[in-house]
């Protein structure tokens, strides 16, 4: 088997095994990944910064005994630092070049991973489609006329295209799970505090953001979490320690689980028939695994909850823009996209008192959610309300005009109609996906599972949300679903390596 073919067919653990046995060298593997990256780059446009020469240099001296020795990898162009590598955040604002590695980067390198590129993101991670003025449109390897999702859309595209078997990703409102659902990958959103974001930040978006990865297999996601989890001295809080290893959880039988299904849209918006078919497919697989299923409703997860989430994000964006102004030493208004600029203006309009009150409402609802779903080992629900959208389908110009109108009306009404107007905005901007923000607010883990492919040949994943701190049950369940369905053998219909 050629190195190129091995890169296409194996997951990260499989590739590392070939390196350890001496069947493939790290240099050969990295060269194959770089060749694949360049071959697919015109079609998927998923690379922000190539790191090819640094990757080749690192591959020459890698310790082949490391758990993921020589495995090609990609870092997201947002929220993580690697010394000397420009981080753009999907923006035209002058890049940040760190003189340090993030703790996550240190752990990736210590595991033997070899970053070959940074992956594209929408500007500041604010869209669930990876399209930006700075880098253009990132496309889905399953069908390049469609989105790979966002904000970790570049990471998902690189994995689905066979450039790397696993890639760093982050999730503040679905940004791991939405791309995974769009590209047929496993996407684990970890518990709050499971993986450190330091020293770049100690927390992001008031604790909504977590980091982990998109992966080809459940076992890759589990092992990578073993190699990267745990607080460092700057971590403001930490998830409960696992009972064992995540890798062990991914290979053991989950036993008979008690599962719930939540079908409704928190915004009361339409859900496509194919999304519901994907959810039914997941339910059928779970029943085949011997688990019990109950239908539930979460009536308190509604428009007010999502609006509070949106205001919280807007305030965080406003703060981030202030930090960028201080870093660059001038206004960045002309550098950012109109949607980012307007979201920042939203954040400036909201008072600090309203943000604090909204956070308390979100925390109270989270406590109720966690308490009422505690009897269930996991809750199945959609990730995206519709199959992966056509590139450009959510034209930002239309959304921006809507935001501008809301802003004008907010000024005139002196915020008297703030909540209903913001609810309308949430309907507009979250039409594609209604559910992932729930777990960002509650801090629960949730894993996107690639259970279904539409009649048009596009992946459509669903998610299983677990108890706080209990990634082990989710990984055990996900691995069983993977085995029953055989999805790990599916690949995007790209030209295969010789």
């Amino acid at each position: 088997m050629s190195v190129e073919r091995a890169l296409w067919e194996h997951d990260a653990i499989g590739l590392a095994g070939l390196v350890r046995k001496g069947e493939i060298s790290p240099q050969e593997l990295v060269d194959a990944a770089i060749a694949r990256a360049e071959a697919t780059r015109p079609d998927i446009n998923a690379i922000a910064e190539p790191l090819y020469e640094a990757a080749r240099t690192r591959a020459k001296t890698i310790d082949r005994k490391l758990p993921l020795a020589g495995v090609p990898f990609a870092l997201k162009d947002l929220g993580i630092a690697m010394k000397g590598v420009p981080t753009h955040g999907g923006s035209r604002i002058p890049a940040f070049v760190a003189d340090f590695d993030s703790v996550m980067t240190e752990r990736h390198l210590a595991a033997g991973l070899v970053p070959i590129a940074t992956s594209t993101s929408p500007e500041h991670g604010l869209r669930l489609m990876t399209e930006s003025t700075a880098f253009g449109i990132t496309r889905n390897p399953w069908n390049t006329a469609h989105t790979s999702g966002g904000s970790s859309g570049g990471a998902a595209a690189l994995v689905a295209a066979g450039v790397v078997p696993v890639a760093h990703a982050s999730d503040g409102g679905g940004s791991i799970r939405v791309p995974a659902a769009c590209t047929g990958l496993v996407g684990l959103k970890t518990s709050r505090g499971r993986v450190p974001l330091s020293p770049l930040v100690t927390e992001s978006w008031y604790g909504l953001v977590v980091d982990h990865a998109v992966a080809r297999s459940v076992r890759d996601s589990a092992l990578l979490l073993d190699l990267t989890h745990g607080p460092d001295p700057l971590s403001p809080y930490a998830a409960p320690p696992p009972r064992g290893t995540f890798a062990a959880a991914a290979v053991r039988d989950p036993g008979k689980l008690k599962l719930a299904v939540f079908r409704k849209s928190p915004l009361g918006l339409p859900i496509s028939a194919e999304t519901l078919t994907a959810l039914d497919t997941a339910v059928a697989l779970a029943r085949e695994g011997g688990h019990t299923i109950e239908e539930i409703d979460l009536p308190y997860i509604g428009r007010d909850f999502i609006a509070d989430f949106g205001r919280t994000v807007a305030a965080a964006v406003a703060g981030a823009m202030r930090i960028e102004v201080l870093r660059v030493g001038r206004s960045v208004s002309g550098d950012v996209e109109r949607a980012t600029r307007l979201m920042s203006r939203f954040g400036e309009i909201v008072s600090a008192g309203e943000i604090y009150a909204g956070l308390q409402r979100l925390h109270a609802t989270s406590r109720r959610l966690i308490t009422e779903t505690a009897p269930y080992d996991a809750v199945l629900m959609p990730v995206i309300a519709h199959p992966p959208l056509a590139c450009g389908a959510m034209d930002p110009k239309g959304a921006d005009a809507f935001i501008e109108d809301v802003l004008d009306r907010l000024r005139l009404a002196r915020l008297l109609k703030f909540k209903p107007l913001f609810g309308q905005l949430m309907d507009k901007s979250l039409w594609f996906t209604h559910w992932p923000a729930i777990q960002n607010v509650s801090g629960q883990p949730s894993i996107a599972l690639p259970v279904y492919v539409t009649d048009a040949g596009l992946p459509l994943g669903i998610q299983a949300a677990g108890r706080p701190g209990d990634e082990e049950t989710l990984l055990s369940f996900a691995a069983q679903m993977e085995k029953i369905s055989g999805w790990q053998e599916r690949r995007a219909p790209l030209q295969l390596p010789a």
Side-chain angles (χ1 to χ4, degrees):
M1 180 188 298
S2 69
V3 179
E4 292 77 12
R5 189 79 189 190
L7 181 66
W8 176 255
E9 293 189 354
H10 288 274
D11 63 1
I13 291 174
L15 291 172
L18 295 175
V19 169
R20 271 193 303 277
K21 290 185 286 188
E23 296 182 21
I24 294 176
S25 72
Q27 298 98 309
E28 290 173 322
L29 198 49
V30 166
D31 282 340
I34 291 169
R36 183 72 174 165
E38 286 301 294
T40 58
R41 193 173 183 181
D43 294 322
I44 64 173
N45 186 37
I47 292 175
E49 287 282 342
L51 306 176
Y52 300 159
E53 293 313 308
R56 289 187 171 110
T57 299
R58 185 175 299 278
K60 292 176 183 177
T61 59
I62 205 83
D63 181 353
R64 298 191 186 198
K65 295 179 182 178
L66 294 174
L68 293 174
V71 173
F73 189 64
L75 295 170
K76 186 176 177 179
D77 180 40
L78 181 68
I80 193 168
M82 186 173 184
K83 187 175 182 179
V85 174
T87 299
H88 305 272
S91 180
R92 291 171 294 175
I93 297 174
F96 169 69
V97 182
D99 61 359
F100 61 87
D101 288 335
S102 289
V103 171
M104 274 283 281
T105 303
E106 292 175 347
R107 294 176 182 181
H108 291 145
L109 299 178
L113 293 166
V114 181
I116 67 160
T118 62
S119 64
T120 51
S121 163
E123 188 169 63
H124 298 288
L126 294 179
R127 294 183 190 158
L128 293 171
M129 297 176 71
T130 300
E131 302 179 2
S132 70
T133 303
F135 291 98
I137 296 173
T138 296
R139 299 176 181 275
N140 194 326
W142 288 77
N143 183 330
T144 55
H146 291 259
T147 185
S148 60
S151 64
S152 304
L158 290 173
V159 176
V163 176
V164 295
V166 62
H168 164 255
S170 58
D171 192 316
S175 291
I176 286 175
R177 290 159 290 161
V178 170
C182 289
T183 57
L185 302 176
V186 175
L188 174 62
K189 179 259 171 205
T190 53
S191 297
R192 182 174 296 136
R194 175 66 68 203
V195 174
L197 307 180
S198 52
L200 197 61
V201 293
T202 55
E203 71 170 16
S204 181
W205 287 9
Y206 299 91
L208 299 178
V209 174
V210 301
D211 277 30
H212 186 42
V214 288
R216 185 171 286 170
S217 67
V218 174
R219 70 175 189 169
D220 276 1
S221 187
L223 178 61
L224 188 60
L225 190 55
D226 277 325
L227 297 170
T228 56
H229 83 95
D232 86 325
L234 289 178
S235 298
Y237 38 71
R243 296 180 296 275
T245 68
F246 297 112
V251 297
R252 69 170 174 251
D253 189 295
K256 186 174 182 179
L257 302 179
K258 184 177 181 181
L259 306 175
V261 181
F262 176 53
R263 295 179 179 274
K264 293 184 179 179
S265 161
L267 290 169
L269 295 177
I271 305 170
S272 73
E274 287 187 295
T275 289
L276 295 176
T277 298
L279 187 58
D280 288 338
T281 300
V283 169
L285 288 169
R287 286 203 171 106
E288 188 176 344
H291 311 302
T292 61
I293 311 284
E294 292 182 19
E295 301 277 341
I296 63 169
D297 191 12
L298 305 171
Y300 44 89
I301 305 293
R303 289 175 178 270
D304 288 345
F305 179 90
I306 299 298
D308 278 333
F309 166 81
R311 279 189 288 269
T312 300
V313 173
V317 173
M321 290 302 99
R322 289 182 175 228
I323 292 169
E324 290 291 73
V325 167
L326 290 173
R327 178 178 69 83
V328 177
R330 60 167 174 80
S331 170
V332 297
S333 180
D335 297 302
V336 300
E337 298 171 18
R338 191 160 175 256
T340 304
R341 188 164 61 249
L342 293 174
M343 180 65 82
S344 177
R345 286 166 60 190
F346 255 121
E348 295 289 355
I349 284 175
V350 189
S351 71
E354 176 62 14
I355 293 300
Y356 183 83
L359 284 167
Q360 296 310 306
R361 290 191 294 268
L362 290 172
H363 294 162
T365 303
S366 295
R367 286 192 292 273
R368 182 177 178 186
L369 171 70
I370 291 167
T371 299
E372 292 189 9
T373 59
Y376 302 103
D377 294 294
V379 180
L380 302 175
M381 64 185 76
V383 177
I384 50 179
H386 308 275
L389 301 180
C391 293
M394 297 189 76
D395 185 348
K397 292 182 180 178
D400 292 353
F402 182 82
I403 296 172
E404 191 78 70
D405 177 62
V406 172
L407 280 167
D408 289 341
R409 292 164 67 189
L410 283 173
R411 292 189 197 95
L412 291 172
R414 294 184 180 276
L415 306 184
L416 291 178
K417 296 182 179 180
F418 188 83
K419 286 186 179 180
L421 287 173
F422 207 91
Q424 293 175 49
L425 174 62
M426 289 299 99
D427 284 2
K428 185 90 172 183
S429 61
L430 296 178
W431 176 82
F432 183 33
T433 178
H434 316 166
W435 300 269
I438 298 170
Q439 291 77 38
N440 294 95
V441 172
S442 69
Q444 295 169 269
S446 186
I447 190 166
L449 308 176
V451 297
Y452 184 70
V453 176
T454 69
D455 291 340
L458 288 164
L460 207 170
I462 62 90
Q463 63 180 327
R467 301 184 184 96
D470 190 13
E471 286 91 339
E472 288 168 280
T473 297
L474 287 184
L475 289 165
S476 182
F477 170 64
Q480 183 193 53
M481 296 275 278
E482 179 180 64
K483 183 178 180 180
I484 293 171
S485 70
W487 77 57
Q488 195 186 347
E489 303 305 316
R490 290 202 296 259
R491 294 286 187 273
L494 298 174
Q495 182 178 353
L496 302 182

